Amino acid sequence: MNIKETVLMVRFGFSVFLMVAAVFHSFAQTTGTDEWITYKSPSENYVSINIQAYKGLHRFGVVDSYKYQSPSTNTNPRSPVRGGGRNPEQLKKNKMVNTGKINFSLLVSLKYLKPFMGDLDKDRLTILNNSLTEKQSNSAYLQRFLLNQVAPNLCLDEACKNVNRGKNEFERQRNYKTFVNTCLNTLLEWSQDVFKNDELSAYHVSTLNIGGNYDFDKKGYWVHHYLSLNDIFPFKQCGRKRVTFEPVKPYENQLLNKLARGKSINFFLPMDEQTAERFKKEGINRLYLVKKIKLQHSDKGVDSPTDPIDFNYSHENSDMEIYTDEALVNHFRTLSLTNLTFKN
């Protein structure tokens, strides 16, 4: 083997090593089960983030609050029982869901605010006044975001959690510099583990209200479903985010043409009289609609860290699975977005 061939072999081997290392890093940071997606913290100084999952992917929209689940002594602890109280384990899971949504949203914000971190004054807290330059205004916004939201929610280490505390301005300045020097870069690096390649496949869960009058002629209910998914990220928390329906397939363009007021589509849900009456007796006045979507970060330019972070979504397939419970255990029926009956 000549020198040129040896060099090529070494380069090839190093390239393979880098690819394997990248894959390992990704899997080392993120793990998943049928119930949870976990973003492992970079160290014990930060919290791990647990997102509720469905079929191994992120579950957005309406979450399972565990309030209708039976006690753990039941042979099927995932079987919903209306009116049942929550045991300590279920309360713990519910808290994990709520904090996970907030912390995931914070990590997403950090990822897409990273380009503005060059404006951050890392030595001094920026004092608000009417004569700030654009760079100083950006710094003030980013500092408030880091001090009031990121550090209290994502940090466990006291040196970082204390960033917004201090008996006087000198102590607050020291606490701020400690956070910047010891925590900020780690958090920014960790944020790159979300939305790999600026996209994410997930399931979205929404409710279908069937509390109105039954249509005896058509045998079913008229329901509406919002195509504007503003419940993926916490509203007005963790930095503003917008999720806009962006059609990709022909049937999605047809859906866009059927939008009613409020960015919803009104369609007919077939249901026989016996089932409808049973739902009335059992107090089931809402159903849970599940669809698989693809979220993508918009390529729309952002001029300021205060601007909303824009995302687009489209449907991975046309199936809409409908369940009678928020735990998504009792399947009712499957509808297709391609052949819905719309209200005139």
Side-chain angles (χ1 to χ4, degrees), residues 23 176 192:
V23 172
Y176 172 65
Q192 303 311 299

Side-chain angles (χ1 to χ4, degrees), residues 68 82 210 276-286:
Y68 292 140
R82 295 182 173 271
I210 55 172
E277 186 174 7
R278 177 171 63 85
F279 283 0
K280 288 281 187 180
K281 291 179 179 179
E282 295 179 5
I284 300 176
N285 55 17
R286 68 177 57 180

Side-chain angles (χ1 to χ4, degrees), residues 131-334:
S131 59
L132 294 181
T133 65
E134 180 180 350
K135 183 175 181 178
Q136 289 172 331
S137 295
N138 289 346
S139 176
Y141 175 84
L142 292 169
Q143 286 177 352
R144 292 198 303 274
F145 174 63
L146 294 170
L147 272 60
N148 297 328
Q149 298 191 53
V150 172
N153 287 286
L154 295 180
C155 297
L156 292 175
D157 181 65
E158 284 301 314
C160 293
K161 289 181 73 70
N162 285 337
V163 64
N164 202 22
R165 303 172 187 168
K167 297 178 181 178
N168 52 57
E169 65 270 31
F170 303 102
E171 189 172 334
R172 288 191 290 272
Q173 290 285 359
R174 284 195 298 270
N175 288 341
Y176 172 65
K177 290 195 68 172
T178 297
F179 171 82
V180 169
N181 293 332
T182 62
C183 302
L184 181 57
N185 286 338
T186 300
L187 288 168
L188 289 173
E189 182 178 350
W190 186 24
S191 72
Q192 303 311 299
D193 283 337
V194 298
F195 275 87
K196 295 284 188 180
N197 301 317
D198 292 322
E199 64 179 35
L200 179 68
S201 290
Y203 285 95
H204 182 267
V205 183
S206 59
T207 56
L208 291 178
N209 294 316
I210 55 172
N213 292 326
Y214 181 80
D215 191 322
F216 286 94
D217 294 327
K218 293 182 176 295
K219 306 297 182 185
Y221 289 97
W222 287 101
V223 295
H224 66 268
H225 168 59
Y226 286 96
L227 291 180
S228 180
L229 306 185
N230 292 321
D231 55 0
I232 288 181
F233 300 104
F235 185 63
K236 290 186 178 180
Q237 284 183 305
C238 321
R240 290 189 299 157
K241 303 176 185 67
R242 291 186 302 208
V243 180
T244 305
F245 177 45
E246 189 73 25
V248 174
K249 304 176 181 69
Y251 73 83
E252 292 179 307
N253 284 300
Q254 293 175 5
L255 291 176
L256 199 61
N257 293 332
K258 293 294 183 180
L259 283 182
R261 296 177 63 183
K263 297 185 178 180
S264 66
I265 53 174
N266 297 318
F267 66 92
F268 190 72
L269 174 65
M271 186 184 302
D272 60 68
E273 294 182 25
Q274 292 78 12
T275 301
E277 186 174 7
R278 177 171 63 85
F279 283 0
K280 288 281 187 180
K281 291 179 179 179
E282 295 179 5
I284 300 176
N285 55 17
R286 68 177 57 180
L287 301 173
Y288 298 85
L289 184 151
V290 183
K291 58 184 185 179
K292 190 176 182 181
I293 63 172
K294 176 179 284 187
L295 277 173
Q296 292 183 303
H297 180 244
S298 173
D299 57 3
K300 181 180 177 182
V302 178
D303 298 322
S304 167
T306 61
D307 291 341
I309 302 173
D310 282 301
F311 296 88
N312 300 326
Y313 89 91
S314 58
H315 299 93
E316 291 270 25
N317 57 59
S318 62
D319 289 342
M320 297 192 302
E321 304 292 342
I322 300 176
Y323 293 81
T324 61
D325 61 301
E326 65 179 28
L328 307 183
V329 172
N330 295 330
H331 185 266
F332 172 56
R333 70 180 309 151
T334 301

